[in-house]
């Protein structure tokens, strides 16, 4: 099937992350059609907007925006009408709903969600902790973590940890290596949510083979042997069952889906301590 393309202009007075996520989440639902993204972050002046408009005129298409200044909005929509480019203020329906429910008006603060508040510094602290506790590093203070991910090699522990850190959770991860005992610090980490990440042997072997190819390493090892990998995964399952740690099969999950499942488990985990 041939693929068709369209221009998608994303105009933001902040970083543009919201628009990118919304645009991609919607566009991916249309099979055989791909968006050519034009991202314009930090558009906060008339001069900046005019440069954006010139690019929209050169490549008309859909325009999504998250501007809060009325003059900028009016100018952008006027220019888009002239070029026949449909526009949508992505946050406007949400603001309308909030206004009707709260009975209050919003303040026009571009990029307000990225202000340096306590939540921001919490994420930075979580990221620093997570990077320092990647792949089994510094295991002695695991009791300071919010989440600890365990699993055999190539179960996406590191990227999932970083994603969770960006959500404000101090996350450590530890690879499960055959014949290697768990660090003693595991016994002290009573309040930490420990989650086992598992995958099918076929998936692990595939990822490990690609890893060895990229490193130009020897492929004749137990590291990519189907039976050996299956034994590793079975051992990790038994370990999690022994300590009643929840497990998540990441074989067909994206990092975001895995992290969402862990966040749900973490909320339930925290409620246990609040209740006691």
């Amino acid at each position: 099937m041939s693929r068709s393309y369209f221009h998608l202009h994303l105009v933001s007075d902040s970083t543009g992350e919201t628009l990118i996520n919304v645009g991609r989440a919607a566009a991916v639902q249309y099979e055989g059609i791909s968006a050519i993204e034009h991202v314009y972050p930090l558009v906060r002046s008339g001069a900046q907007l005019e440069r954006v408009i010139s690019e929209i005129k050169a490549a008309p298409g859909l325009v999504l925006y998250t501007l809060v200044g009325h003059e900028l909005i009016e100018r952008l929509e006027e220019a888009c009408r002239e070029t026949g480019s449909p526009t949508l203020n992505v946050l406007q329906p949400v603001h309308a709903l909030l206004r009707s429910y709260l009975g209050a008006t919003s303040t026009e603060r571009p990029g307000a969600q990225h202000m340096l508040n306590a939540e921001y510094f919490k994420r930075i602290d979580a990221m620093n902790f997570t990077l320092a506790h990647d792949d089994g590093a510094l295991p002695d203070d695991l009791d300071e973590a919010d989440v600890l991910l365990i699993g055999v090699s190539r179960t996406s522990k590191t990227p999932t940890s970083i994603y969770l850190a960006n959500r404000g959770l101090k996350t450590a991860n530890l690879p499960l290596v055959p014949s290697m005992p768990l660090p003693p610090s595991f016994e002290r980490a009573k309040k930490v949510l420990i989650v086992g990440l598992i995958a099918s042997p076929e998936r692990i072997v595939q990822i490990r083979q690609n890893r060895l190819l990229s490193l130009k390493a020897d492929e004749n090892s137990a590291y990519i042997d189907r039976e050996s990998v299956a034994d590793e995964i079975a051992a990790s399952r038994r370990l999690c069952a022994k300590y009643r740690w929840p497990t998540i099969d990441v074989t067909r999950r994206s990092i975001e889906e895995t992290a969402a499942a862990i966040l749900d488990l973490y909320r339930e985990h925290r409620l246990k301590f609040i209740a006691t």
Side-chain angles (χ1 to χ4, degrees), residues 16 28 47 49 62 72 79 92 127 155 170-171 178 185 194 196 230 234 240-241 244 268:
V28 75
L49 181 59
L62 293 177
L72 294 180
Q92 193 279 329
M127 187 64 72
T155 47
K170 293 181 178 179
T171 309
S185 54
I194 301 177
C240 292
R244 297 184 179 179
E268 295 176 5

Side-chain angles (χ1 to χ4, degrees), residues 9-269:
H9 299 272
L10 307 171
V11 188
S12 173
D13 51 27
S14 186
T15 62
E17 293 175 17
T18 300
L19 283 175
I20 292 172
N21 290 334
V22 171
R24 289 178 179 175
V28 75
Q29 303 298 324
Y30 296 88
E31 188 176 357
I33 304 175
S34 295
I36 301 173
E37 293 180 355
H38 307 264
V39 184
Y40 315 98
L42 302 174
V43 178
R44 299 179 180 178
S45 70
Q48 292 170 327
L49 181 59
E50 290 304 322
R51 288 193 289 271
V52 172
I53 289 173
S54 66
E55 294 199 31
I56 294 174
K57 289 181 177 179
L62 293 177
V63 180
L64 305 181
Y65 67 89
T66 54
L67 303 176
V68 296
H70 292 298
E71 292 183 2
L72 294 180
I73 291 174
E74 290 177 0
R75 174 65 185 121
L76 176 61
E77 292 191 343
E78 176 189 11
C80 288
R81 284 194 296 270
E82 293 174 357
T83 62
S85 298
T87 63
L88 176 66
N89 183 342
V90 171
L91 294 181
Q92 193 279 329
V94 181
H95 282 309
L97 183 62
L98 285 172
R99 281 196 300 270
S100 64
Y101 183 75
L102 300 175
T105 57
S106 62
T107 57
E108 296 184 355
R109 293 184 298 165
Q113 72 270 34
H114 298 292
M115 292 178 64
L116 303 185
N117 53 21
E119 187 66 24
Y120 175 83
F121 289 108
K122 178 184 177 182
R123 293 201 308 272
I124 295 300
D125 189 34
M127 187 64 72
N128 288 333
F129 180 93
T130 299
L131 293 175
H133 293 75
D134 181 41
D135 204 29
L138 303 177
D140 291 337
D141 59 348
L142 287 180
D143 54 323
E144 296 181 14
D146 296 311
V147 176
L148 172 59
L149 303 181
I150 62 172
V152 303
S153 173
R154 320 322 296 178
T155 47
S156 302
K157 296 183 296 297
T158 293
T160 304
S161 297
I162 292 174
Y163 189 97
L164 290 170
N166 196 44
R167 297 293 296 272
L169 295 186
K170 293 181 178 179
T171 309
N173 73 80
L174 181 76
L176 296 179
V177 181
S179 303
M180 286 286 291
L182 294 176
S185 54
F186 267 61
E187 297 297 326
R188 301 193 301 270
K190 300 298 183 182
K191 293 187 177 181
V192 181
L193 170 65
I194 301 177
V195 180
L197 302 185
I198 59 176
S200 69
E202 293 77 15
R203 179 59 175 161
I204 295 298
V205 169
Q206 180 187 33
I207 297 174
R208 290 182 179 184
Q209 285 176 331
N210 292 336
R211 174 68 172 167
L212 291 180
L213 283 173
S214 67
L215 297 175
K216 297 181 180 179
D218 180 19
E219 295 187 39
N220 297 317
S221 69
Y223 185 67
I224 57 173
D225 178 73
R226 169 67 172 73
E227 291 187 7
S228 297
V229 172
D231 289 341
E232 285 186 55
I233 297 170
S236 70
R237 287 182 181 273
R238 289 194 298 270
L239 178 67
C240 292
K242 175 181 177 181
Y243 291 99
R244 297 184 179 179
W245 295 329
T247 60
I248 297 176
D249 191 332
V250 301
T251 303
R252 294 181 177 83
R253 286 179 185 259
S254 66
I255 300 300
E256 294 82 359
E257 289 172 325
T258 301
I262 294 170
L263 287 168
D264 280 340
L265 290 171
Y266 181 73
R267 281 189 284 269
E268 295 176 5
H269 181 74

